Amino acid sequence: MDFTLIFFYVLAATAVATALGLLLSRNAVYAALFLVLNLATVAVFYLLLGAPFVAMAQITVYAGAIMVLFLFVIMILGAEKLPKGEVLPWQRPLAIGAAALLLVEAVYLLLQRVRLTSDLSNPGTWENSMDALRQMATLLFTDYLLPFEVTSVLLLVAMIGAIVLTKREKGEPA
Amino acid sequence: MIPLDHYLLLSAILFTMGALGVLIRRNALIIFMSIELMLNSANLAFVAFARSFEKASGQPLFSGQLFVFFVIAVAAAEVAIGLALIVAIFRIKHNVDVDQMSSLKG
Amino acid sequence: MEGIFTLVPLIVFLPVLGLLINIIFGGKMSEKAIGWLASAAAGATFVISVLLAYGLWSAHGEAVTVPFADWITIGNLHIPWTFRVDTLSVTMMLVVSGVGTLIHVYAIGYMHEDVRFKKDEKRYRRFFVFLNLFIAMMMILVSGDSYLMLFVGWEGVGLCSFLLIGFWYDMDTLGRPSWANSNAAKKAFITNRIGDFGFLLAGMTMFWAFGSVQFGEVFGLAEEIAAAQPGIIVAITLFMLIGVTGKSAQIPLYVWLPDAMAGPTPVSALIHAATMVTAGVYLIARSWPLYTLVPDAQYIVAMVGAVTALFAATIAVGQYDIKKVLAYSTISQLGFMVAAVGMGAFVAGMFHLVTHAFFKALLFLSAGSVILGLERGHHHLAHHNPLSAGAGGHEEHEEVFDPGDMRNMGGLRKRMPVTFWLYIIGTLALAGIFPFAGFWSKDEILLDAAKLHPEVFALLLTAAFFTAFYMGRQIWMVFFGEPRHEAAAHAEESPRVMTVPLMVLAGLSVLGGALNLPGVHTFGHWLEHTIEMVEHEAHLPAWLQISWGGLNPIVALASTVLALLAIYFSWLIYGRKPLAAGQKDPLKKPLGFIFTGMENKWFVDEGYWAVFVDRYVDIARFLADVVDWRFWHDWFHEKVIAGTYNWLSHIALNRYADQKGIDAFFNGLGELTKRASTSLRRLQNGFVRSYALAVLLGVVVILGYLVMR
């Protein structure tokens, strides 16, 4: 009885449950909070997989900044509840069917075709040390320098874009 | 010792649920969040693979983690723009129901 | 001397020159100038003919051929235009140009008055152009050295006859607007055409059998071919006979000649008495080598001539128009000529041709003088006697006056003495009274008939009796008794330009017998250079064997006595008690239906119309109406062709091929595209969610593909 495995199953169930919550909740705030939980769960997974930096990044950036932004917007817009009324009645069954098919195919492909080492070892001490972090940083600034710089440009662009899009024209009501 | 398959399976499930969310929900913000969920599941798969491709020296393959890093950055940018768009649309339509935004109807 | 013969082409080209000058410059010339120019052309032709005769006499009558031009050269067929100068052709040339010149001069005066009576002075020039053309054509006929050249002239004179008969084409003989004259011209042309068809058959058969139509070649080969295929010569000669019956007005194609009297009198004199109608006789005389080889055909020719002679003479007895009497007389005398040459008496026939030209022309021209005399009298009355002629001039004259009707005449010997004496001379010559020209020529024919074919002799003798009778009748009716119409009472004599040529002709009619007096036979010897006469030594009865240098006194006496008897009878009926105005012909009651027959030309024309012409018109009408219009046009063209075409284009092509086929196809394509686009358009519903679903479906499909792989 592997303690890690049980831990994994619990976490997996949590993740799926929160995802389900996101899917089904009528209230957008509730959905956002479910997502935050999901992200936190996935961060724990990262820890399990020996990627502490990524886990931290996930918590601070993803769950901390992005989701907060989401919540800001939800609050501002007041978009908690939506009126009832389905315009595309055939969408739901078809979507569920397609998604089911997708799941089946994805599972099949991932499990049958991808032949890799089956078991992943638990993370040891080295993964959580500064050495690992240092190596990763070095890699970031040498092999992956270009994507790094481009990403910074991308962020700049996003910033400008966000400002431009939300700018109020003269005379437009708030 | 968790088999890789488990992670992949979990990733697939989360991805599917995200896709379903995009298709079924009408609230633009919820759809956005479902997209984040999908991205998230892909990140999980990346990290799981990075772990499985261990080098001989026992060091994991950092490329996978770095990729996740980039994905998160891009996701952030995307969210910024996306939300700005939704706000801009809301100003006009006073509504975030994607079904109301069908002026591009052919 | 040989050089003289090179002048031959002038006999054709001098009249042509005359007519060309008249055509081109005639508009600017006076009537006198036109007339005298044309007469000069004819006169010059006569002079040339005299020169040729002299040349021929110097050359002892040897025939001369003068090649002029190459006409047809196709492969082996070679037909040149060659002039033939021999005694026979020169005789014809002299007669035609001589009598022709006299008639030209006469016509100057005659037409001058006629165009004024008919009120169309502009037509004067046309007359002389046509007359010159006729002379030219007749010259081509008699001077040709081949049957084809002869035929060219034959057709040409036929054309001129048509043009001249229909000279007053828009009127009838009395000057009223009518189709009558042009119908007469048409009748002449068409009847002649039938004859020409016979001639053409003869020519073609000749070419087929002999390989040539040149006189020299044909006559040289004649005996050979006759021995090999005798039937051919019979065919050729009989086909030629058909042509002769057309041109020389024998039975059955004579019917055009009386109608041809619709033309002006000079035309009747020249063409229908002296020259054109004798072309048939000339043809047979020219073809003597062929005819003498086939006695059977000869007999048929002789009988045709003899029967025609008698037949026409009977009709002449019942005619009232002065020119019609002379017309039937011409037919009758032509019958004499044809009978003569048919029997082989070529000299007798040609001799009668020459003398007949003299006295018949004289008679016709004198008749013209009489007619004009009456017209003048009528005119005189209308102008000077407004009371008797109605108010105003001619045009308002109610009564229709026929100046040629003998019933309107009478007592003209006092009013027109010159014409009277000229006419008497002509009549005596025609009746065959000694010593006028007609006696000698007619007598020769009768003698030859008596010797060769007694039945022909009987027919001709009877015809001679009738001839004298109807001429006597004419004299008593026209010149004796009292005038039966005011116009006759005021008739005026003709001017000298008309009477002088008549006097010349009268002189010739008196002295013409000298041409061939018995014992001397000048003409006979002259002709014998060209025509070989074969003496028939048949068994002759004693009375026929008497010969005073060729003349048999018994026959001569018999014919003279008969003629005098006939004149006496005519005096008894018409002379002793002259006709009064409006009185019926005294022969009508005693002869009853016979006289009706004679009056109505034995209904031959009516018979032809009923049997041939009306049937032809019926067929033509049937073909035009039923076959052409109703069947061909209305049904075939409209329904079948146009209908099929319309069906094809409207129904088959338009409706089925085009509309249902091609249009439907392409419309269907468009429709298909439209429907496809309409359905596909629904994909773009503007809902983001459905687009996202589409993406997902695409992903599923791709993954499915990967799975299947």
Side-chain angles (χ1 to χ4, degrees):
Chain A
M1 194 53 92
D2 201 353
F3 175 68
T4 325
L5 199 62
I6 297 173
F7 188 52
F8 173 80
Y9 282 139
V10 170
L11 276 176
T14 317
V16 172
T18 48
L20 210 62
L22 164 66
L23 210 58
L24 299 174
S25 61
R26 290 260 141 241
N27 195 331
V29 176
Y30 289 168
L33 292 172
F34 272 127
L35 185 59
V36 169
L37 265 178
N38 194 38
L39 292 172
T41 315
V42 171
V44 176
F45 273 128
Y46 290 156
L47 279 173
L48 258 178
L49 285 169
F53 177 69
V54 178
M56 284 302 122
Q58 169 107 332
I59 299 284
T60 47
V61 175
Y62 224 133
I66 293 173
M67 292 319 296
V68 168
L69 191 57
F70 255 109
L71 278 166
F72 276 158
V73 173
I74 292 173
M75 297 299 183
I76 292 172
L77 298 187
E80 291 92 8
K81 286 252 191 262
L82 283 177
K84 285 250 187 256
E86 187 61 61
V87 191
L88 300 169
W90 43 267
Q91 169 89 332
R92 193 168 281 213
L94 198 60
I96 293 173
L101 252 177
L102 179 66
L103 182 61
V104 166
E105 282 171 358
V107 165
Y108 176 76
L109 281 174
L110 283 173
L111 295 186
Q112 295 299 333
R113 298 293 178 83
V114 179
R115 297 250 172 263
L116 291 167
T117 41
S118 214
D119 287 2
L120 299 175
S121 55
N122 289 336
T125 48
W126 185 84
E127 282 84 2
N128 297 329
S129 69
M130 288 302 285
D131 256 341
L133 191 59
R134 199 173 283 130
Q135 270 187 359
M136 202 173 81
T138 315
L139 213 57
L140 181 65
F141 283 99
T142 52
D143 287 347
Y144 296 98
L145 184 59
L146 182 62
F148 183 76
E149 298 298 337
V150 171
T151 310
S152 61
V153 173
L154 179 69
L155 288 169
L156 178 66
V157 168
M159 231 184 340
I160 298 172
I163 294 171
V164 166
L165 281 168
T166 51
K167 194 162 153 107
R168 237 172 261 180
E169 299 293 324
K170 284 220 176 71
E172 224 183 335
Chain B
M1 293 309 218
I2 303 163
L4 179 63
D5 299 346
H6 287 55
Y7 280 107
L8 295 181
L9 187 65
L10 180 61
S11 168
I13 291 172
L14 286 178
F15 185 84
T16 311
M17 294 175 80
L20 211 54
V22 168
L23 294 172
I24 290 181
R25 300 304 301 260
R26 285 187 296 139
N27 194 333
L29 291 159
I30 308 266
I31 289 174
F32 224 150
M33 287 193 259
S34 306
I35 293 174
E36 297 308 317
L37 185 59
M38 291 199 311
L39 280 171
N40 204 37
S41 70
N43 285 348
L44 184 62
F46 266 125
V47 174
F49 275 124
R51 182 81 179 154
S52 75
F53 277 115
E54 266 184 351
K55 292 206 193 124
S57 58
Q59 288 177 348
L61 196 62
F62 284 114
S63 337
Q65 294 173 17
L66 280 174
F67 218 89
V68 173
F69 175 74
F70 284 122
V71 170
I72 292 174
V74 171
E78 169 220 345
V79 165
I81 300 289
L83 288 174
L85 271 172
I86 290 177
V87 168
I89 291 173
F90 185 80
R91 285 221 190 105
I92 297 167
K93 292 251 178 188
H94 303 289
N95 199 331
V96 286
D97 186 352
V98 293
D99 282 349
Q100 303 292 323
M101 298 164 201
S102 56
S103 340
L104 280 181
K105 198 178 203 177
Chain C
M1 259 306 110
E2 305 311 310
I4 282 251
F5 296 112
T6 55
L7 290 175
V8 158
L10 282 179
I11 59 169
V12 173
F13 290 105
L14 279 175
V16 170
L17 182 66
L19 78 89
L20 280 175
I21 296 179
N22 268 334
I23 286 182
I24 300 173
F25 299 108
K28 312 267 175 42
M29 291 158 68
S30 71
E31 277 184 7
K32 273 206 160 73
I34 296 173
W36 282 107
L37 176 71
S39 309
T45 312
F46 179 67
V47 168
I48 306 270
S49 312
V50 169
L51 286 173
L52 289 171
Y54 177 65
L56 207 54
W57 179 69
S58 312
H60 303 292
E62 284 294 321
V64 177
T65 50
V66 179
F68 182 67
D70 263 340
W71 184 24
I72 300 178
T73 318
I74 309 172
N76 287 335
L77 179 65
H78 183 243
I79 301 178
W81 184 3
T82 313
F83 286 89
R84 189 183 182 87
V85 182
D86 62 15
T87 52
L88 181 62
S89 65
V90 163
T91 310
M92 291 299 293
M93 283 186 220
L94 285 168
V95 168
V96 172
S97 56
V99 175
T101 310
L102 291 169
I103 295 180
H104 271 81
V105 173
Y106 173 92
I108 298 174
Y110 184 90
M111 289 314 287
H112 174 79
E113 293 194 45
D114 200 24
V115 296
R116 275 158 187 80
F117 285 134
K118 299 267 185 352
K119 303 197 186 53
D120 188 357
E121 285 147 37
K122 296 256 160 64
R123 249 186 250 201
Y124 190 86
R125 165 172 40 147
R126 226 166 150 225
F127 187 80
F128 286 94
V129 168
F130 289 156
L131 267 193
N132 269 152
L133 181 66
F134 171 81
I135 299 285
M137 287 294 156
M138 194 70 199
M139 285 302 161
I140 295 180
L141 196 158
V142 300
S143 66
D145 190 36
S146 65
Y147 280 97
L148 201 57
M149 284 318 297
L150 196 153
F151 191 62
V152 171
W154 187 276
E155 292 277 350
V157 296
L159 171 70
C160 293
S161 169
F162 168 78
L163 291 172
L164 285 163
I165 295 173
F167 186 71
W168 297 112
Y169 53 82
D170 39 0
M171 328 177 173
D172 61 10
T173 38
L174 305 181
R176 298 172 292 190
S178 162
W179 284 105
N181 286 358
S182 48
N183 281 343
K186 259 196 304 187
K187 185 172 178 179
F189 216 178
I190 293 175
T191 324
N192 261 267
R193 209 62 195 117
I194 303 175
D196 295 347
F197 177 60
F199 191 108
L200 274 174
L201 285 175
M204 289 185 226
T205 318
M206 188 183 295
F207 185 73
W208 182 56
F210 290 81
S212 162
V213 288
Q214 301 281 106
F215 288 151
E217 291 170 34
V218 171
F219 299 152
L221 285 171
E223 282 190 25
E224 221 179 280
I225 304 283
Q229 328 164 48
I232 285 282
I233 309 280
V234 174
I236 294 175
T237 48
L238 287 179
F239 285 143
M240 275 205 281
L241 177 63
I242 299 176
V244 170
T245 57
K247 191 64 80 184
S248 292
Q250 301 296 293
I251 292 175
L253 296 175
Y254 68 90
V255 291
W256 64 271
L257 201 132
D259 282 46
M261 296 301 117
T265 313
V267 171
S268 309
L270 180 61
I271 302 185
H272 305 125
T275 47
M276 184 183 95
V277 292
T278 56
V281 181
Y282 167 73
L283 176 67
I284 300 185
R286 173 63 78 191
S287 312
W288 65 267
L290 298 176
Y291 276 93
T292 46
L293 288 168
V294 279
D296 296 322
Q298 275 188 308
Y299 186 67
I300 295 176
V301 175
M303 283 307 284
V304 166
V307 171
T308 309
L310 181 56
F311 189 75
T314 57
I315 298 179
V317 173
Q319 296 302 307
Y320 298 114
D321 185 286
I322 191 174
K323 278 168 68 171
K324 287 251 167 43
V325 175
L326 294 174
Y328 283 103
S329 171
T330 308
I331 300 176
S332 177
Q333 295 302 304
L334 285 168
F336 269 84
M337 291 180 230
V338 169
V341 294
M343 287 187 291
F346 300 108
V347 172
M350 289 304 295
F351 185 29
H352 197 59
L353 192 155
V354 175
T355 57
H356 177 265
F358 297 149
F359 55 72
K360 207 28 114 11
L362 171 64
L363 281 169
F364 263 111
L365 297 182
S366 310
S369 173
V370 167
I371 291 173
L372 277 189
L374 254 74
E375 278 275 26
R376 289 180 206 117
H378 185 88
H379 209 77
H380 204 94
L381 280 175
H383 275 229
H384 294 264
N385 259 355
L387 288 171
S388 65
H394 270 257
E395 310 84 49
E396 292 164 33
H397 215 273
E398 291 298 327
E399 171 206 353
V400 173
F401 173 66
D402 183 2
D405 195 331
M406 295 198 292
R407 293 170 290 194
N408 287 336
M409 302 176 190
L412 283 178
R413 77 176 189 285
K414 298 190 196 115
R415 304 283 315 174
M416 303 176 71
V418 179
T419 309
F420 168 64
W421 284 111
L422 291 167
Y423 211 95
I424 292 282
I425 294 175
T427 304
L428 291 175
L430 174 53
I433 307 293
F434 178 89
F436 292 89
F439 166 74
W440 305 103
S441 55
K442 196 183 286 191
D443 195 69
E444 249 194 77
I445 298 179
L446 287 171
L447 181 59
D448 284 318
K451 284 190 195 164
L452 294 167
H453 301 290
E455 58 277 19
V456 172
F457 175 61
L459 287 168
L460 290 179
L461 204 57
T462 323
F465 174 80
F466 277 109
T467 308
F469 183 78
Y470 62 67
M471 288 314 291
R473 168 177 180 267
Q474 190 167 54
I475 295 278
W476 307 126
M477 277 182 88
V478 173
F479 292 105
F480 287 85
E482 290 306 314
R484 289 185 281 279
H485 193 274
E486 291 144 14
H490 290 86
E492 291 164 12
E493 184 58 87
S494 298
R496 266 216 311 252
V497 72
M498 282 168 67
T499 52
V500 166
L502 294 186
M503 291 181 207
V504 176
L505 284 171
L508 286 170
S509 303
V510 173
L511 301 169
L515 274 176
N516 205 32
L517 286 172
V520 188
H521 287 294
T522 334
F523 190 60
H525 290 309
W526 171 256
L527 271 187
E528 256 163 31
H529 291 294
T530 314
I531 306 178
E532 277 174 34
M533 298 299 299
V534 179
E535 273 303 322
H536 299 264
E537 290 305 325
H539 277 316
L540 296 171
W543 62 277
L544 269 177
Q545 281 179 13
I546 313 171
S547 174
W548 295 351
L551 178 80
N552 182 296
I554 310 217
V555 169
L557 196 62
S559 70
T560 313
V561 164
L562 267 176
L564 290 169
L565 216 63
I567 296 178
Y568 176 64
F569 284 145
S570 71
W571 178 77
L572 279 178
I573 301 174
Y574 295 98
R576 194 166 54 168
K577 245 185 15 194
L579 256 61
Q583 184 190 358
K584 277 221 208 338
D585 196 301
L587 275 182
K588 213 171 170 74
K589 264 216 347 228
L591 288 182
F593 72 90
I594 299 181
F595 192 75
T596 316
M598 293 200 270
E599 251 184 327
N600 290 295
K601 353 174 212 107
W602 299 113
F603 299 103
V604 171
D605 273 316
E606 286 78 357
Y608 279 164
W609 270 86
V611 174
F612 296 111
V613 183
D614 279 339
R615 302 288 80 81
Y616 179 78
V617 169
D618 286 340
I619 293 175
R621 201 162 281 156
F622 173 73
L623 286 174
D625 256 345
V626 177
V627 176
D628 197 36
W629 271 104
R630 301 220 314 257
F631 169 74
W632 188 246
H633 181 269
D634 286 344
W635 182 71
F636 193 68
H637 266 114
E638 288 298 311
K639 297 238 165 51
V640 177
I641 296 182
T644 309
Y645 178 76
N646 281 340
W647 178 83
L648 253 179
S649 76
H650 279 150
I651 313 278
L653 288 178
N654 186 35
R655 201 185 292 165
Y656 287 107
D658 195 35
Q659 286 178 359
K660 291 216 174 106
I662 298 174
D663 275 359
F665 176 66
F666 285 105
N667 284 348
L669 268 183
E671 200 61 38
L672 191 68
T673 313
K674 209 160 58 144
R675 280 204 222 116
S677 79
T678 317
S679 9
L680 282 174
R681 203 222 280 160
R682 283 197 247 123
L683 271 180
Q684 205 172 13
N685 50 15
F687 295 121
V688 178
R689 287 200 290 152
S690 61
Y691 298 162
L693 179 61
V695 172
L696 186 72
L697 284 173
V699 169
V700 167
V701 166
I702 291 174
L703 283 182
Y705 170 69
L706 287 175
V707 164
M708 294 306 163
R709 226 161 60 88

